[in-house]
Amino acid sequence: MSLHIALLRSVNAAGGRLITADELTGLLTDLGHTEVRMGPKVGDLVFESGERTGTELQTQIETELMARLGLRTDVYVRSAEAWRALVAANPFPDFAATDPGWLMTLFCKDTPDKRAMGALRAAIRGTEQARAESRQIYAIYPDGVGGSKLTNSLVEKTLGTRITGRSWTAVLALAGMLEPI
């Protein structure tokens, strides 16, 4: 058994059916995963699984969310080792130490293309910065997220892929859950 984190995109966003923590943890348990726990928000799950890869788990969970709950959403799965590595790879450690709420980690299913990342950095019009490491983009928002032009929509349009984001505070909270029960 190996430990994983699953991030669901836009769970309980405005206009959709509310999905409960019990529904999500129950679904993963029904799929044969064990030690299923909810993270800091509905849509962040920590669980143990057999020999499936992250890609297989993503597909399985996406398919079952649609079939059982009528929820069409993207799922981003990382192993415990990959999660620890993404915490260690943070290219903005000083910013994270002083203002972790304004450091966002944007999760991609695949490693962002270098050319597309260059286009994204060129599109930034404010004080924000973005760097890709593996399948994550780390973005800092020195002036806050609310008025920033570095939005998820801009990132997705520029990279040609869908993402989901978590604040550094949430990333660290999930890292703290990586010890087996």
Side-chain angles (χ1 to χ4, degrees), residues 5 10 18 37 40 59 65 92 100 102 106 132 143 146 148 151 161 180:
I5 292 176
S10 300
L18 292 180
R37 298 170 276 157
T59 300
L65 284 167
F92 303 110
W102 298 128
L106 310 175
D143 299 323
S148 173
T151 62
T161 190

Side-chain angles (χ1 to χ4, degrees), residues 130-162:
R131 294 200 188 129
E133 298 287 337
S134 184
R135 296 179 295 153
Q136 291 73 233
I137 299 168
Y138 301 84
I140 60 170
Y141 295 82
D143 299 323
V145 175
S148 173
K149 302 296 185 219
L150 181 58
T151 62
N152 284 1
S153 296
L154 174 66
V155 173
E156 290 179 343
K157 181 180 175 187
T158 306
L159 297 182
T161 190
R162 291 168 55 91

